[in-house]
C-alpha cells in the first residue's frame, strides 16, 4: 500500500474517470477527499473504501474559497474536472488555476492535472486551446504538477463508445462524421493506474507532461464498424463528406442537440493520437488494455436481445 494514510483531494472524483481513480487510490491505502459541486453525485464512491477512508467536500473549482477549503490538510491534489461544451476558459483555465494555486498555498506535495491530447495554446478549437492554456496556468502556480493528456477514454460508463453503440442500435443507416480521423482509445482503468503511480512516486514525474493512448490507433469509421460487429448489428455506414460536416457544424452547431458543433468539427481535423516523441504509459509501467478485452462486458445491452440474447447465442 504505497499511498497508505496519505490524504488526496480529487476534484471531479464523482465522475466517470473519478470513480476508477478513487477505487485505485483506495486500494493502495490512500485516504480520499472527494470534491464536487454537489456531493450527492459522489456518494457512490463511499462503499469503495473502508470505514472513514473517504471524505466529501462541497467545492466548485470556479470559486477559489471553496477550493481552498477542500485542499486544506491534503498531501496531494488531483484535478479531473473538464467539460466538452460550455465555458471552456472558466473551467479548464480559471478553474485549473484555482486548484493549482490553492494546492501550492496549502503546501500539498503533489498535483496531477488531467488535460487531453490536442491541448495547445494555438489550437484552432476552443477546447484544445483552453486545455493548453489550463496546463500553462497550472504549471505557473504549481511548477511540479504532473500533466496527463489521454486520448479518448473508454469504459463501462463512458460517453463515447456508449454513444455510438446506442446510435448503431437505433439506426439502420449510420452517418459517420470525421470518418478518417484517428484516435488511440485508452481504458479508464489504465488512466487510473497512471494517476496512482504518479502520486506514489511524484519525484519521477514532477513537472512533466505525458500523453496516454491505448494499444491501437483506429479511425472513427473503423471504430463504428467494430462496435457494430461487437454488438452483432449489420449496419450501413455512410461517411459524411467534410464539406457537409462543416456545414452541419456551422448551421446546426449552435442549436441544442446538434450532431456536431463548430468546435468539435475543428477538433476532428486533427488525429487524436500520442505524439511519436511524447512520454507515455511506459514511463509508469502500465500495459495498455485493448478495447476488445473489456468491452464485451458492457456491450451486451446493445445486442439484438440484450445480455440474455448474447448468452443464448454463446451457449
Amino acid at each position: 500500500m504505497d499511498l497508505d494514510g496519505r490524504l488526496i483531494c480529487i476534484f471531479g472524483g464523482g465522475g466517470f474517470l473519478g470513480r476508477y481513480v478513487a477505487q485505485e487510490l483506495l486500494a493502495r491505502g490512500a485516504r480520499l477527499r472527494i470534491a464536487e459541486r454537489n456531493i450527492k453525485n459522489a456518494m457512490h464512491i463511499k462503499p469503495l473504501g473502508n470505514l472513514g477512508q473517504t471524505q466529501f467536500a462541497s467545492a466548485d473549482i470556479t470559486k477559489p474559497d471553496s477550493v481552498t477549503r477542500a485542499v486544506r490538510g491534503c498531501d496531494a491534489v488531483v484535478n479531473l474536472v473538464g467539460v466538452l461544451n460550455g465555458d471552456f476558459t472558466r473551467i479548464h483555465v480559471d478553474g485549473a488555476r484555482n486548484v493549482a494555486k490553492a494546492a501550492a498555498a496549502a503546501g500539498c506535495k503533489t498535483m496531477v492535472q488531467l488535460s487531453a491530447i490536442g491541448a495547445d495554446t494555438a489550437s484552432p478549437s476552443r477546447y484544445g486551446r483552453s486545455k493548453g492554456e489550463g496546463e500553462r496556468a497550472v504549471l505557473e502556480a504549481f511548477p511540479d504538477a504532473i500533466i496527463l493528456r489521454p486520448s479518448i477514454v473508454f469504459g463501462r460508463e463512458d460517453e463515447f463508445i456508449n454513444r455510438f453503440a446506442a446510435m448503431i442500435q437505433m439506426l439502420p443507416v449510420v452517418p459517420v462524421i470525421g470518418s478518417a480521423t484517428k484516435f488511440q482509445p485508452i481504458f479508464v482503468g489504465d488512466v487510473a493506474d497512471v494517476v496512482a503511480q504518479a502520486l506514489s512516486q511524484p519525484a519521477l514525474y514532477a513537472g512533466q507532461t505525458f500523453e496516454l493512448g491505448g494499444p491501437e490507433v483506429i479511425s472513427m469509421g473503423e471504430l463504428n464498424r467494430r462496435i457494430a460487429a461487437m454488438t452483432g448489428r449489420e449496419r450501413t455506414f455512410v461517411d459524411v463528406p467534410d464539406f457537409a460536416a462543416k456545414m452541419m457544424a456551422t448551421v446546426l452547431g449552435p442549436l441544442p442537440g446538434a450532431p456536431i458543433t463548430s468546435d468539435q468539427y475543428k477538433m476532428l481535423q486533427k488525429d487524436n493520437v500520442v505524439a511519436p516523441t511524447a512520454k507515455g504509459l511506459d514511463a509508469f509501467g502500465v500495459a495498455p488494455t485493448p478495447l476488445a478485452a473489456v468491452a464485451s462486458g458492457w456491450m451486451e445491452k446493445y445486442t439484438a436481445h440484450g445480455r440474455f440474447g448474447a448468452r443464448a447465442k454463446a451457449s
Side-chain angles (χ1 to χ4, degrees):
M1 291 190 177
D2 46 8
L3 293 172
D4 199 20
R6 292 175 60 187
L7 179 58
I8 301 170
C9 181
I10 307 178
F11 288 90
F16 163 53
L17 176 55
R19 175 198 300 265
Y20 289 83
V21 170
Q23 187 168 11
E24 184 63 30
L25 297 182
L26 288 168
R28 297 190 184 211
R31 294 181 298 131
L32 300 185
R33 182 176 294 160
I34 307 297
E36 285 277 353
R37 286 185 300 173
N38 184 349
I39 60 175
K40 290 182 179 179
N41 295 334
M43 294 309 293
H44 57 278
I45 302 297
K46 193 169 186 178
L48 300 179
N50 296 321
L51 184 64
Q53 198 176 0
T54 306
Q55 309 170 10
F56 297 91
S58 178
D60 182 335
I61 64 171
T62 67
K63 298 178 180 179
D65 289 346
S66 71
V67 175
T68 297
R69 289 192 296 271
V71 303
R72 186 173 294 128
C74 290
D75 299 296
V77 172
V78 179
N79 181 29
L80 304 177
V81 181
V83 292
L84 295 175
N85 290 294
D87 194 339
F88 294 130
T89 298
R90 185 166 173 262
I91 303 297
H92 295 162
V93 185
D94 299 337
R97 180 187 294 109
N98 291 338
V99 173
K101 289 177 70 174
C108 299
K109 298 179 178 64
T110 311
M111 178 176 176
V112 174
Q113 169 70 20
L114 191 80
S115 185
I117 287 180
D120 185 347
T121 56
S123 173
S125 77
R126 292 186 299 116
Y127 177 86
R129 195 161 57 249
S130 69
K131 282 292 190 178
E133 292 170 353
E135 291 181 3
R136 184 169 61 187
V138 165
L139 291 172
E140 287 175 352
F142 201 116
D144 283 342
I146 302 164
I147 308 293
L148 303 179
R149 295 177 176 174
S151 182
I152 297 299
V153 180
F154 69 86
R156 181 179 294 273
E157 307 87 356
D158 73 43
E159 296 182 4
F160 188 74
I161 301 296
N162 282 297
R163 175 186 176 187
F164 293 118
M167 185 167 64
I168 290 168
Q169 182 184 43
M170 295 174 58
L171 303 176
V173 178
V174 183
V176 182
I177 298 174
S179 179
T181 303
K182 294 181 173 62
F183 299 89
Q184 199 169 345
I186 181 167
F187 179 50
V188 63
D190 294 342
V191 179
D193 284 347
V194 168
V195 173
Q197 183 63 20
L199 293 169
S200 298
Q201 296 182 287
L204 295 179
Y205 312 107
Q208 300 177 64
T209 298
F210 301 87
E211 296 195 352
L212 312 178
E216 58 184 335
V217 174
I218 184 170
S219 70
M220 179 73 84
E222 183 183 351
L223 179 61
N224 274 268
R225 289 169 175 80
R226 186 175 300 184
I227 293 171
M230 286 192 300
T231 57
R233 303 278 181 178
E234 293 187 5
R235 294 292 185 260
T236 298
F237 292 91
V238 178
D239 295 344
V240 178
D242 185 67
F243 75 88
K246 185 175 183 179
M247 184 178 296
M248 290 169 61
T250 302
V251 177
L252 302 177
L255 302 177
I260 185 172
T261 67
S262 177
D263 206 62
Q264 289 168 345
Y265 169 79
K266 292 175 182 176
M267 291 166 60
L268 286 172
Q269 300 310 296
K270 187 176 182 180
D271 293 339
N272 193 272
V273 300
V274 174
T277 58
K279 295 178 244 186
L281 287 181
D282 288 349
F284 300 90
V286 175
T289 303
L291 174 63
V294 293
S296 60
W298 88 83
M299 297 296 283
E300 286 183 355
K301 64 183 179 182
Y302 297 110
T303 60
H305 302 289
R307 57 192 177 92
F308 300 106
R311 288 178 181 174
K313 185 176 180 180
S315 61

